[in-house]
Each structure stands twice: as structure tokens, then as C-alpha cells.
Amino acid sequence: MTTATTALDQEIQRYAEANPASAKLNERAKKSLPGGDSRNSIWWKPFPVYIARGQGSTMTDVDGNERVDFISNMTTLILGHRHPAVIEAVEAQVDRGLSYPAPSELVIEWAELICERIPSVEKVRFVNSGTEGTLNAIRAARAFTGRQKIVKSEGGYHGAHEDVAVSVNPSFDDVGDELEPNALHDYEGISDRVLDTTIVVPYNNSEAAEAIIRANADDIAAVIIEPVSGRLGMLPANPEFLQTLRDVTTELGIVLIFDEVISLRVSSGGSQQYFGITPDMTAMGKIIGGGLPVGAFGGKNEIMELFDPATGPRVKHAGTFNGNPMTAAAGIATLKSLTPEVFQQIGSKGEDLRTKLRSLISDREAPMGVTGVESLFSLQFTNEQIVDYRSLKSADKTLADHMYLGLLNEGYALSPQCAGNISVAITDDQVDGFVDAVGRVLERAGYG
Ligand SMILES: Cc1ncc(COP(=O)(O)O)c(C=O)c1O
């Protein structure tokens, strides 16, 4: 009988043997890039694979290993790699120029597509990352309300800027009271000032969140929340929690920001349409750029008007590549391909995958679960029902690492947290193949 650690060691060895060219590239990369890349979120032990090409539902690495891509660049590539409509639009734009020092008509069309789909977004502005999307939405809320503090959830990820780099992955030893979580730095280098202005509430606990918001009401500019939490495993919020946030922020004159950087994927009008709850501001990213760097923020006219240079602006907003025509072209082509039927198709494939995974896990009596909604899913490595950050405490990290590397060895790519998503390019056979592969990894981990 092998112990879990030994089984993981064997998986790591298999991985190293299958990826010698990536190992070599990683050694070279580490000389000029810390860890060998520019993005910690896609780094893993012992080294990441380096990708040579993506096509449709698959990615091929520098060793020639082809894997079914259930990451889609962290939920971005909703049409799969190199979708013909997107490639055609980008190539056409290459012929017309890569970026301009003045707006183009493309940006208007792109903005119109977003405002039509998401009625709460009366006006929108484009940026180059989801991080900038949430940053500007928060800045707008501060200017609009004249208040300084913001509220976010424990375990909520809203990008890499200071205000929100608080209690995303806090140590369970330091988190404090369940009903009044401590605000904690996520890593070194974050300014101490944010601990005075960012307030943390438990996800999905309406009563606790409302009490904290009421106690700080006069100082709070915005509540920012993911209606579907990426860090908690693509977990849809309890609708009653979102409704409570909507009601209390309306009553207290606080701006409610939905971070839909991931959750815009759950329907053509995003998760706000799915839940039937309307925020004041929305931060966006990922799918709206068709695979090129993107972010956006938008919402109520009276808030977005703060950015209008003709009447101020009260909030300055610049960015050399904001609304650049290449991303606009890819974004327009993607949004036009994403009809409500397409969202429905990938959503039901996601439901099918989750059902099959749940049945496998229960047959094997593995200490695992499955979370997700529509085209988004995640494996969980605990039997506990996931409702908030603290429910992740009992997760079996060794099994999670084994599953992640094991699936790469089997030819399937998930995010390092074992979250995934369905793109339009994923077939039913690939869904079934994935579930079988999870079964084989479980067997190697001792759950035969
Ligand atoms: C919910 C959420 N908000 C914001 C961001 C930040 O987006 P970006 O990585 O484009 O800066 C992410 C990125 O994964 C995200 O998942």
C-alpha cells in the first residue's frame, strides 16, 4: 500500500519524465524571470509546462504533449483557441493598425454590445485587465460617495491592486472571529493603509455582512463582491446573500460593485441576469476581450459621468492601450458569437460534467466535492459543503496537488486549484474522457 505522499512523488516523477523540454526551459527562464514566468497564478511545483500552441479545445506544450484545455486562460477563451471568427477579426485589424492615439469606431461598437447585454451598464470604459476594472470601479465609488472605505469578502479575489489584496488567502491561524474576520495582508509589500480602509465580511453570511456594513455605514464607499466566487471554487453565492447586500447598500447610499470578471460567463447578461440582482457598477474582463488583454468597468450613468472629460473629469482615467483596436476587434467577434443559446449549451455541458464527477466521487468514497455553476466548475478536496473561505480549511492539499499533476499527466489541464470551465470547443467525449481521467488519478491516489 503506497502512502499518499509516495503516490504524489510518483506522479511528480511521471510529470518530470514527460516534460523534459519544459524543465529545461524553466531552468533557462529562472535566470531572467523570478520563478520562470511573469504570473504567479500559473506557477506550480515542480515547474510549469511551457505552451507552444493552442487550437480549439487543446493546447500543445514544448514537449509535444497535447492536453484538453479546461482552463481557457483562466476562463477567458470561451470560444476555445484560435476561433475562426476571432482570428479573422484580429487579422483584419492587423492590416489597419495595432493601436492609435485617438478612438476608433470599433470601441463604440464594443461598448454598445456590452451595454445592450448588461442593462445595469449604462456606460462603460475599457482598460487592460480585470485588476484595473475593479480599481476604477472602486475609485468611482469613492468619488461618488465622498467616502473612503470598501467592503470585500474573505477569500474574494478582485485582482492585484492594493485595496483588494486583503484576506484573499489568509492563514487560517490568523483569520480571527468567523463573524468579524480580520483584514489581513495577502503578501508582503502591500501598504499598511489598506488595513484601515478595507473591511472584510464572511461570504454568504447575510446577517454578519449586514451587521458589519451597518456598523461602518458612514465611511463605506463600496461593497465589492463576486456573485460567483472563483477562489471558493466557482461557487455561486447564495442569492439571499446578494439580495441582502443589494438592499443594505441601497438603503445606506453605498455603491454595490459586482466583480463579473469571471462570472460574466454564466449568461449573456452575466451573473446579474442569472441572479436577477442589479448592481450599481460592474467590473469585467476575460471573455470580453476574446483572448487579448482586457478589462472594463461600467454602471450607472450618474457614476460613469464622473469620467467625462467634457465636464471635468472628476475622476481622471488614462491608459495608453485602453480600448485598443486589436482587443476591440477580438472582443466584438467573441461577443457576437456568444448568443444566449451558446451560453445555454456550455452551461448544460458544465452541469453534465458536475453530475458525472459527483457520481464518480461518491462511488470512490473520496473526500471530495464538486462546486460550480453553468460552464464553471471546480473540484473540492473536502467532504464539507463549501459556503465560505473557512469551509476550505479541511481541504486535503496533498490530494489536490496529486489531482492537478495527475490530470496534466493524463492529458487534461485545470487551474492549479483544480478549477475549470467549458469552452464552446469542448466536446461531450472530452467531458467523459476528463471524468474517466479523474477516476484514474483517484485510483493512483488510493481511491480505487
Ligand atoms: C473575479 C476576478 N476579478 C478580477 C480579476 C483580475 O483580472 P486580471 O487578471 O485581468 O487583472 C480576476 C482574475 O482572475 C478575477 O478572477
Side-chain angles (χ1 to χ4, degrees), residues 372-388:
V373 59
E374 297 292 316
S375 63
L376 298 161
F377 68 91
S378 184
L379 292 168
Q380 300 285 358
F381 297 90
T382 168
N383 284 319
E384 192 166 331
Q385 196 195 345
I386 307 297
V387 290
D388 58 15

Side-chain angles (χ1 to χ4, degrees), residues 129-131 157-159 226 259 261-262 286:
S129 64
T131 293
Y157 180 65
H158 303 289
E226 289 169 276
D259 180 348
V261 170
I262 286 181
K286 305 209 195 268

Side-chain angles (χ1 to χ4, degrees), residues 148-215:
Q148 281 297 305
K149 294 190 179 175
I150 65 155
V151 171
K152 74 176 284 291
S153 69
E154 193 172 52
Y157 180 65
H158 303 289
H161 62 92
E162 303 284 294
D163 281 314
V164 292
V166 174
S167 296
V168 180
N169 273 304
S171 154
F172 290 108
D173 295 336
D174 302 330
V175 287
D177 188 330
E178 201 179 340
L179 301 180
E180 278 184 58
N182 291 334
L184 297 165
H185 281 314
D186 243 46
Y187 37 83
E188 292 179 41
I190 302 295
S191 162
D192 283 342
R193 76 171 165 78
V194 296
L195 300 183
D196 296 329
T197 50
T198 298
I199 299 169
V200 179
V201 297
Y203 198 71
N204 271 338
N205 188 328
S206 308
E207 222 173 290
E210 181 172 349
I212 295 170
I213 293 168
R214 285 194 185 282

Side-chain angles (χ1 to χ4, degrees), residues 189-261:
I190 302 295
S191 162
D192 283 342
R193 76 171 165 78
V194 296
L195 300 183
D196 296 329
T197 50
T198 298
I199 299 169
V200 179
V201 297
Y203 198 71
N204 271 338
N205 188 328
S206 308
E207 222 173 290
E210 181 172 349
I212 295 170
I213 293 168
R214 285 194 185 282
N216 295 277
D218 292 347
D219 300 322
I220 299 174
V223 171
I224 182 164
I225 198 84
E226 289 169 276
V228 176
S229 167
R231 174 70 188 89
L232 303 186
M234 306 301 175
L235 181 79
N238 183 341
E240 183 248 319
F241 174 65
L242 295 178
Q243 191 59 56
T244 300
L245 296 182
R246 176 63 289 180
D247 293 345
V248 73
T249 50
T250 302
E251 183 193 323
L252 300 173
I254 295 167
V255 175
L256 180 64
I257 305 170
F258 274 3
D259 180 348
E260 295 241 38
V261 170

Side-chain angles (χ1 to χ4, degrees), residues 394-424:
S394 59
D396 181 341
K397 188 79 183 69
T398 306
L399 182 56
D401 287 349
H402 194 153
M403 183 58 67
Y404 176 64
L405 277 183
L407 284 171
L408 285 174
N409 286 337
E410 291 282 340
Y412 294 90
L414 290 183
S415 81
Q417 281 178 10
C418 286
N421 58 87
I422 306 283
S423 77
V424 168

Side-chain angles (χ1 to χ4, degrees), residues 170 237 239 264 286 292 356:
L264 213 58
K286 305 209 195 268
L292 292 181
K356 287 174 172 159

